[in-house]
């Protein structure tokens, strides 16, 4: 289905580059300058690519349709201030026709910026994977407040298969903190994943999403040690293959590989998005 085009904004000429950048920020919520350049060019951006995108973002900032926040890029030791970019309130109104579920970056907390950028990083890697394997990716990062309240919901759709067999649904949870925030001896991550365990196959899931009641939960963690510790905990309490655990390093190196482990059989095998 063709999405309607946004209306012209006074003072902003809608060159193709401007449209493309706004569409990316609507799709991904927040991106670093280099992320925008990579998505626009389809390859690792050159210095010239980065300069061009910085100029475009500056034009959009002056027009009031994007917002930015400074952040500490731990991968860079030189250069000036680095920014994360997203749509402003004005930009959301402007882009609703392009992306109905886009959300504003205005007044976003800098405290959660690393978390949001990690979601975007996973989304970027997943989008490249889907394109490579001729899969359709559905991604939703807004209007998610339901029984489980994930960081994102997505589906991978194989157009070559019947809809009931060719579509798999996933919830994404980015867990960057150590296990903690105990209540009655139970850490917050286990309380959160326990809700997913109860939600799986439930009437509540069917009612809230309308299209599915079975799913997988992708849990992204910073280190393999944290992943193994959580797998052991889940093995004791929620021993189910619905939980797919992976590290940040593993998915960034090769999201299409057999990099996911489940509590049921993590000591003997691993899974990929292409696993039967």
């Amino acid at each position: 289905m063709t999405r309607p085009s946004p209306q012209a904004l006074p003072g902003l000429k809608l060159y193709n580059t401007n449209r493309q950048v706004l569409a990316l920020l609507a799709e991904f919520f927040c991106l670093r300058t280099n992320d925008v350049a990579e998505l626009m060019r389809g390859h690792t951006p050159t210095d010239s690519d980065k300069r061009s995108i910085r100029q475009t973002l500056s034009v959009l900032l002056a027009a009031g349709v994007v917002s930015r926040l400074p952040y500490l890029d731990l991968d860079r030791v030189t250069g000036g201030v680095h920014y994360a970019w997203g749509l402003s309130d004005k930009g959301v109104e402007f882009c609703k026709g392009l992306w109905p579920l886009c959300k504003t970056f205005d007044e976003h907390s800098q405290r959660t910026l690393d978390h949001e950028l990690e979601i975007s990083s996973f989304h970027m890697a997943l989008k490249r994977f889907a394109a490579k394997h001729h899969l359709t990716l559905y991604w939703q990062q807004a209007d998610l407040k339901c029984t489980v309240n994930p960081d994102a919901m997505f589906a991978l759709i194989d157009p070559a298969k019947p809809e009931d067999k060719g579509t798999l649904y996933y919830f994404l949870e980015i867990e960057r903190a150590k296990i903690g925030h105990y209540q009655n001896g139970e850490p917050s991550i286990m309380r959160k994943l326990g809700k997913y365990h109860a939600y799986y196959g439930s009437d509540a899931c069917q009612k809230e999403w309308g299209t599915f009641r079975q799913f997988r939960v992708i849990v992204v963690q910073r280190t393999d040690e944290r992943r193994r510790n959580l797998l052991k905990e889940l093995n004791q309490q929620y021993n189910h293959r619905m939980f797919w655990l992976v590290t940040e390093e593993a998915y960034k190196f090769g999201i299409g590989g057999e990099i996911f482990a489940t509590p049921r059989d993590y000591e003997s095998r691993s899974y990929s998005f292409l696993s039967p």
Side-chain angles (χ1 to χ4, degrees), residues 50 70 76 109 118 132 137 143 156-157 162 166 176 201 211 232 234 260 270:
K50 296 172 189 177
R76 296 279 301 276
S109 171
E118 195 62 39
K132 179 179 178 181
L137 171 64
D143 194 22
L156 289 170
I157 305 160
R176 310 199 88 204
T211 53
K232 291 176 183 177
L234 287 169
F260 300 96
S270 55

Side-chain angles (χ1 to χ4, degrees), residues 33-34 47 49-59 85:
T33 306
N34 288 359
D47 288 342
D49 293 332
K50 296 172 189 177
R51 283 195 298 272
S52 175
I53 293 304
R54 282 196 292 269
Q55 182 177 10
T56 298
L57 287 166
S58 295
V59 170
W85 301 82

Side-chain angles (χ1 to χ4, degrees), residues 4-265:
S5 297
Q7 299 298 312
L9 275 177
L12 176 63
K13 293 182 179 180
L14 279 182
Y15 298 116
N16 283 340
T17 300
N18 291 348
R19 288 180 181 272
Q20 291 167 359
V21 169
L22 288 172
L24 287 173
L25 293 176
E27 180 181 359
F28 286 90
F29 177 54
C30 73
L31 293 167
R32 299 166 299 180
T33 306
N34 288 359
D35 295 333
V36 178
E38 180 178 336
L39 288 164
M40 288 284 289
R41 301 297 186 248
H43 56 73
T44 301
T46 64
D47 288 342
S48 177
D49 293 332
K50 296 172 189 177
R51 283 195 298 272
S52 175
I53 293 304
R54 282 196 292 269
Q55 182 177 10
T56 298
L57 287 166
S58 295
V59 170
L60 296 174
L61 182 66
V65 291
V66 302
S67 295
R68 68 183 186 183
L69 278 175
Y71 78 102
L72 178 63
D73 188 347
L74 297 178
D75 295 327
R76 296 279 301 276
V77 294
T78 60
V81 175
H82 305 294
Y83 291 103
W85 301 82
L87 296 176
S88 65
D89 291 342
K90 185 177 179 181
V92 167
E93 289 301 315
F94 179 61
C95 288
K96 276 185 177 178
L98 288 169
W99 208 266
L101 289 177
C102 61
K103 57 182 183 177
T104 181
F105 197 55
D106 278 351
E107 300 182 7
H108 187 76
S109 171
Q110 196 167 22
R111 181 176 56 83
T112 62
L113 191 54
D114 283 347
H115 184 87
E116 298 294 348
L117 287 171
E118 195 62 39
I119 296 172
S120 295
S121 178
F122 187 91
H123 187 181
M124 289 172 63
L126 188 64
K127 186 172 183 176
R128 289 192 294 266
F129 164 80
K132 179 179 178 181
H133 294 280
H134 309 290
L135 302 173
T136 300
L137 171 64
Y138 173 81
W139 179 275
Q140 185 172 334
Q141 199 174 328
D143 194 22
L144 291 168
K145 288 187 177 180
C146 59
T147 300
V148 289
N149 196 20
D151 287 324
M153 188 279 284
F154 65 93
L156 289 170
I157 305 160
D158 187 344
K161 296 180 180 179
E163 184 175 353
D164 60 336
K165 296 182 179 179
T167 304
L168 294 173
Y169 296 92
Y170 301 82
F171 292 112
L172 177 66
E173 289 288 349
I174 303 292
E175 288 295 326
R176 310 199 88 204
K178 296 180 180 179
I179 292 178
H181 301 287
Y182 286 83
Q183 289 184 8
N184 299 321
E186 186 176 46
S188 59
I189 180 61
M190 293 300 293
R191 296 195 300 274
K192 180 187 294 184
L193 297 183
K195 289 183 179 180
Y196 281 108
H197 189 264
Y199 197 56
Y200 185 87
S202 68
D203 291 340
C205 180
Q206 181 72 50
K207 181 179 179 180
E208 290 177 341
W209 293 96
T211 53
F212 65 91
R213 60 172 60 223
Q214 295 183 344
F215 51 83
R216 293 166 180 161
V217 183
I218 304 294
V219 183
V220 179
Q221 294 181 282
R222 299 198 73 169
T223 69
D224 192 57
E225 180 182 4
R226 292 184 188 178
R227 184 179 76 143
R228 289 190 65 83
N229 289 339
L230 184 55
L231 283 166
K232 291 176 183 177
E233 289 284 338
L234 287 169
N235 177 265
Q236 296 299 312
Q237 294 193 51
Y238 306 117
N239 192 6
H240 199 294
R241 289 195 184 97
M242 64 183 286
F243 298 112
W244 281 29
L245 277 63
V246 68
T247 64
E248 293 177 10
E249 181 181 14
Y251 89 73
K252 289 173 182 176
F253 180 77
I255 197 170
E258 293 184 346
I259 58 174
F260 300 96
T262 83
R264 178 70 61 84
D265 50 14

